[in-house]
Amino acid sequence: MNETAATTAVYDQLAAGFAARTWDLRLDRALDTFGQYLRPGARVLDLGCGPGRDTRFLGELGLWAVGLDRSPGMLAEARRRVDAPLVLADMRALPFADGAFDGVWACASLLHVPQAQAPAVLAEAHRVLEHGHLFVAVKRGAGESWVDSEAGPVFFAYYHPAEVELLVERAGLRVLERWEEADRSGREHPWINLVAWTRLVTPRVAACAIVLDEAGRLLLVHREDNGYWALPGGHLEYGESLVQAAVRETREETGLEVQIISLSGVYSAPFPDGFVVNEVNQVVVAAFICRMAGGQLRPGPETTDAAFFPVDALPEPIMPIHVPRIRHALWGTTDVYFD
């Protein structure tokens, strides 16, 4: 009998006691952090749901949760306690279509899976995710071990924080945040928690601002992430318009308030020569000509400098994809540019 099968057999025997002991244990920070990334009614898979505790709490967050577990005993407890779809299956071969879920909750899901099989679990989690978010919680430690319980030995796998981040990144997801917490039951191994999201495979949508001062100088920011000078701008946030994004990004990156004068251009071609920004090589961007309307010039959290420069003496290096946007806005025709 392998590690997973043996541990499942033990949990079948321990299910009732485990459910009673942990039912009201709400993982506040983890649940609330994960929930903030998902819209109301989002489809979430509780991967390795056990007796359905977190399936219940995910539902209370306004999410549509489905529980899945390999242990018939655990699912029997869940059916007594939770009004939600529950599925008996192996997380290494999920019985769902590609993109069936907006989020996957994998709290302790990798705890009883051999480390060599963890990539297969994460690959399946990624497969069933639409563009969405993954929560993972594992025990901090090193290696693998068997731990005795009243019903027999249970298999455990432990991870270093960098180790689990690398696993998630290699599965094609991007880690957004990570934190550690002590075990609420007082056991020696703390929990490593992280939230990740699937990398976008379609172009993102963004806006940038072309701002000139009274002397005709161009506003540029010095980006902290790649060291380039660039036009202020960035990706749209959910529920935001292109105009709102251009105004907000300029405020955040330079401290200045701006008003939109006109649309200068719309840029949709893939970045040239394999140029990549934050793992993205194609963005649909609206470039707006703007006027200053207030504020005080200063760098923002993602920029190390913000300043106005004469248009014939711009600093180097300038982000390559921004050069044509500047050229079209300052020296192009009055027509809106499209590529």
Side-chain angles (χ1 to χ4, degrees):
M1 186 179 295
N2 63 33
E3 297 91 344
T4 305
T7 299
T8 299
V10 171
Y11 271 115
D12 282 341
Q13 299 179 59
L14 297 176
F18 182 88
R21 190 168 61 251
T22 63
W23 181 247
D24 290 320
L25 180 63
R26 188 184 191 276
L27 306 176
D28 294 333
R29 181 176 177 182
L31 284 160
D32 295 340
T33 300
F34 182 65
Q36 288 173 3
Y37 286 102
L38 298 168
R39 69 181 187 277
R43 306 157 298 168
V44 176
L45 174 62
D46 184 359
L47 193 63
C49 66
R53 179 197 69 193
D54 292 347
T55 311
R56 161 200 172 196
F57 288 129
L58 291 166
E60 290 177 357
L61 288 175
L63 306 172
W64 186 77
V66 175
L68 178 143
D69 206 278
R70 182 187 168 105
S71 165
M74 285 291 188
L75 284 180
E77 290 297 322
R79 291 190 177 96
R80 294 178 50 239
R81 299 164 180 269
V82 181
D83 182 16
L86 299 168
V87 179
L88 177 67
D90 191 316
M91 64 182 70
R92 294 165 295 187
L94 297 174
F96 303 109
D98 296 358
F101 295 96
D102 305 298
V104 172
W105 175 264
C107 182
S109 305
L110 298 178
L111 194 59
H112 306 302
V113 175
Q115 291 177 344
Q117 297 175 20
V121 174
L122 293 174
E124 276 293 270
H126 189 188
R127 181 184 65 78
V128 301
L129 271 175
E130 192 66 61
H131 178 55
H133 293 81
L134 168 73
F135 171 78
V136 174
V138 297
K139 285 281 196 176
R140 178 167 185 154
E144 302 171 339
S145 68
W146 289 90
V147 177
D148 288 333
S149 75
E150 60 192 80
V154 177
F155 177 83
F156 284 85
Y158 305 100
Y159 294 88
H160 184 276
E163 193 176 15
V164 69
E165 281 202 33
L166 184 60
L167 272 174
V168 171
E169 293 279 356
R170 284 177 172 171
L173 295 104
R174 181 181 178 188
V175 176
L176 300 176
E177 51 185 303
R178 174 177 62 81
W179 70 97
E180 293 188 36
E181 292 180 304
D183 188 275
R184 299 272 289 272
S185 301
R187 291 184 285 263
E188 63 171 312
H189 294 279
W191 289 96
I192 303 168
N193 306 275
L194 63 82
V195 177
W197 70 334
T198 51
R199 293 193 180 101
L200 284 165
V201 295
T202 55
R204 297 198 66 177
V205 180
C208 66
I210 298 161
V211 186
L212 299 174
D213 66 5
E214 294 179 352
R217 298 177 302 172
L218 179 67
L219 177 63
L220 295 175
V221 298
H222 193 255
R223 292 175 61 116
E224 185 176 44
D225 58 352
N226 59 26
Y228 284 106
W229 287 94
L231 296 166
H235 297 126
L236 268 71
E237 294 183 351
Y238 183 75
E240 189 175 51
S241 71
L242 285 164
V243 168
Q244 290 169 332
V247 172
R248 174 186 55 76
E249 287 284 349
T250 304
R251 180 191 310 117
E252 292 176 357
E253 295 183 355
T254 72
L256 297 179
E257 297 291 338
V258 297
Q259 293 178 342
I260 305 296
I261 298 175
S262 62
L263 177 66
S264 172
V266 176
Y267 302 84
S268 60
F271 299 163
D273 303 322
F275 187 77
V276 174
V277 180
N278 293 332
E279 302 175 352
V280 175
N281 68 355
Q282 186 179 14
V283 179
V284 178
V285 182
F288 294 98
I289 297 175
C290 307
R291 66 165 63 93
M292 288 191 294
Q296 184 172 357
L297 186 63
R298 50 97 183 121
E302 299 177 353
T303 56
T304 59
D305 198 3
F308 286 93
F309 297 92
V311 296
D312 58 355
L314 298 179
E316 294 289 347
I318 292 181
M319 190 175 295
I321 56 175
H322 287 198
V323 172
R325 301 176 198 174
I326 295 169
R327 185 173 65 248
H328 298 149
L330 299 183
W331 300 292
T333 67
T334 57
D335 296 331
V336 175
Y337 177 86
F338 295 93
D339 72 4

